């Protein structure tokens, strides 16, 4: 009887060993170079390049009463970016809450579309002499408008452009990034290091995130997103998990961007004009305000 029990025990152990060996191992997640490259290029061309294209191209090609080349850039951005974010979520190594992702995408598109209209008119004002380093009521081309209620309309436009549009645009963007980042963790021994292609993309995308945090005036929101990523990182590491190469790429890019924002603020800390334009808890001047104050005026 004892021999029979021993044989059964050894058979169970051997069966368990075979099952463990034959169990499918978690597939290592490759670095999504194609997606990160597309996101980097379209951010630089369609977002950062919008105002440059509007200023560089002659007005004869795009009259002020018609959509400009920057507006067409923005329209393409509003379609391409949500598509790339959905593709990124599709490659998440673990299941994600798709309802939350879809709501974020809808809000993202709505916020970016609100910003499209406000930003389009804002850049036409710049071509007419509007100075970004001054508030709406302090601008020479605005403060003498008659009737005075028109100034309230321009302040409402500024609110849609710089505040509501940015919040509805970037809050869902950061939520999607956090959802993907949270899904990128698994056993430390299963993770691959970030490849050379990731390190090469790190500089351009970090510099864009610096521009995003400063020009969109969402430094506080960007800081909250980074702190959330850092908290997730600490929590998962205590469980013996680590981000894959894509999660590491996200964390490193946010870290470098935060360093660039700190250097930007330190360099302009004593600028009295920009200090007056950006009061409050976070003093983070916009790059285009710096341009109209120190570069455009000098030429």
């Amino acid at each position: 009887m004892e021999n029979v029990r021993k044989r059964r025990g050894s058979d169970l152990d051997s069966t368990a060993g075979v099952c463990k060996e034959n169990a499918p191992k978690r597939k290592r997640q490759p670095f999504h170079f194609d997606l990160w490259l597309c996101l980097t290029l379209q951010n630089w061309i369609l977002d950062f390049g919008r105002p440059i294209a509007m200023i560089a191209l002659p007005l004869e090609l795009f009259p002020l009463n018609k959509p400009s080349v920057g507006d067409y850039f923005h329209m393409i951005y509003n379609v391409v970016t949500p598509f790339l974010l959905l593709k990124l979520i599709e490659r998440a190594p673990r299941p994600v809450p798709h309802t939350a992702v879809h709501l974020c995408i809808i809000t993202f598109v709505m916020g970016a579309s609100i910003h499209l209209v406000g930003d389009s008119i804002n850049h036409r004002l710049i071509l007419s002499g509007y100075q970004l380093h001054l508030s709406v009521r302090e601008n020479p081309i605005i403060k003498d408008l008659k009737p005075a209620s028109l100034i309230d309309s321009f302040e409402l436009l500024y609110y849609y452009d710089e505040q509501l549009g940015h919040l509805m645009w970037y809050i869902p963007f950061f939520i999607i990034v956090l959802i993907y980042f949270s899904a990128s963790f698994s056993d430390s021994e299963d993770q691959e290091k970030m490849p050379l292609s990731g390190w090469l993309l790190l500089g351009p995308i970090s510099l864009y995130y610096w521009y995003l945090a400063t020009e969109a005036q969402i430094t506080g929101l960007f800081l909250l997103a980074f702190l959330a990523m850092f908290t997730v990182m600490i929590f998962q590491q205590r469980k013996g998990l680590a981000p894959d190469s894509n999660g590491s790429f996200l964390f490193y890019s946010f870290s470098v961007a935060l360093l660039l924002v700190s250097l930007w603020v330190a360099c302009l800390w004593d600028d009295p004009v920009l200090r007056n334009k950006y009061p409050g808890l976070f003093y983070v001047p916009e790059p285009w305000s710096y341009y109209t104050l120190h570069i455009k005026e000098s030429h």
Side-chain angles (χ1 to χ4, degrees), residues 84-263:
L84 293 176
L85 290 176
L86 286 173
K87 285 297 180 183
L88 182 65
I89 288 295
E90 285 179 5
R91 298 189 190 182
R94 290 192 302 171
V96 298
H98 289 285
T99 300
V101 171
H102 293 157
L103 287 174
C104 286
I105 291 294
I106 293 170
T107 308
F108 175 97
V109 173
M110 184 175 180
S113 299
I114 290 174
H115 181 268
L116 164 62
V117 178
D119 195 62
S120 175
I121 298 175
N122 185 46
H123 281 286
R124 280 159 177 73
L125 291 175
I126 294 174
L127 294 173
S128 301
Y130 187 86
Q131 301 177 39
L132 289 174
H133 58 277
L134 299 176
S135 66
V136 174
R137 291 187 178 272
E138 292 174 345
N139 260 272
I141 69 170
I142 299 292
K143 65 182 181 180
D144 295 328
L145 286 176
K146 300 297 180 182
S149 58
L150 285 175
I151 301 177
D152 296 329
S153 299
F154 278 101
E155 285 190 326
L156 177 62
L157 175 68
Y158 182 85
Y159 170 76
Y160 276 117
D161 179 17
E162 297 295 332
Q163 297 183 38
L164 183 63
H166 282 170
L167 290 176
M168 292 183 66
W169 183 354
Y170 294 117
I171 288 177
F173 172 79
F174 287 131
I175 291 176
I176 291 174
V177 168
L178 286 171
I179 289 174
Y180 179 84
F181 180 73
S182 301
S184 68
F185 286 81
S186 62
D187 293 337
S188 302
E189 59 185 17
D190 293 335
Q191 302 295 7
E192 292 182 349
K193 293 183 178 179
M194 198 166 72
L196 178 61
S197 57
W199 292 108
L200 293 176
L201 283 178
L202 187 63
I205 201 166
S206 299
L207 191 60
Y208 172 76
Y209 286 148
W210 160 81
Y211 171 77
L212 189 69
T214 54
E215 184 63 30
Q217 290 294 284
I218 55 167
T219 304
L221 185 61
F222 182 82
L223 182 59
L224 286 176
F226 177 77
L227 290 176
M229 292 176 69
F230 185 78
T231 302
V232 171
M233 174 83 77
I234 297 299
F235 179 75
Q236 297 286 15
Q237 284 182 342
R238 288 183 176 180
K239 298 194 300 184
L241 305 178
D244 60 17
S245 56
N246 298 285
S248 298
F249 178 75
L250 272 174
F251 185 78
Y252 293 154
S253 60
F254 271 57
S255 301
V256 174
L258 191 59
L259 176 61
L260 293 175
V261 171
S262 302
L263 293 174

Side-chain angles (χ1 to χ4, degrees), residues 49-68:
R50 282 186 295 112
I52 297 176
M54 286 187 64
I55 295 173
L57 293 179
L59 291 177
E60 292 77 14
L61 296 177
F62 300 96
L64 294 180
N65 62 341
K66 301 293 182 180
S68 70

Side-chain angles (χ1 to χ4, degrees), residues 132-139 158 268-280 282-285 289 293:
L132 289 174
H133 58 277
L134 299 176
S135 66
V136 174
R137 291 187 178 272
E138 292 174 345
N139 260 272
Y158 182 85
L268 300 177
W269 187 258
D270 296 324
D271 192 304
V273 178
L274 294 177
R275 270 284 183 182
N276 183 62
K277 171 71 185 294
Y278 303 98
F282 287 102
Y283 167 67
V284 184
S289 292
L293 175 62

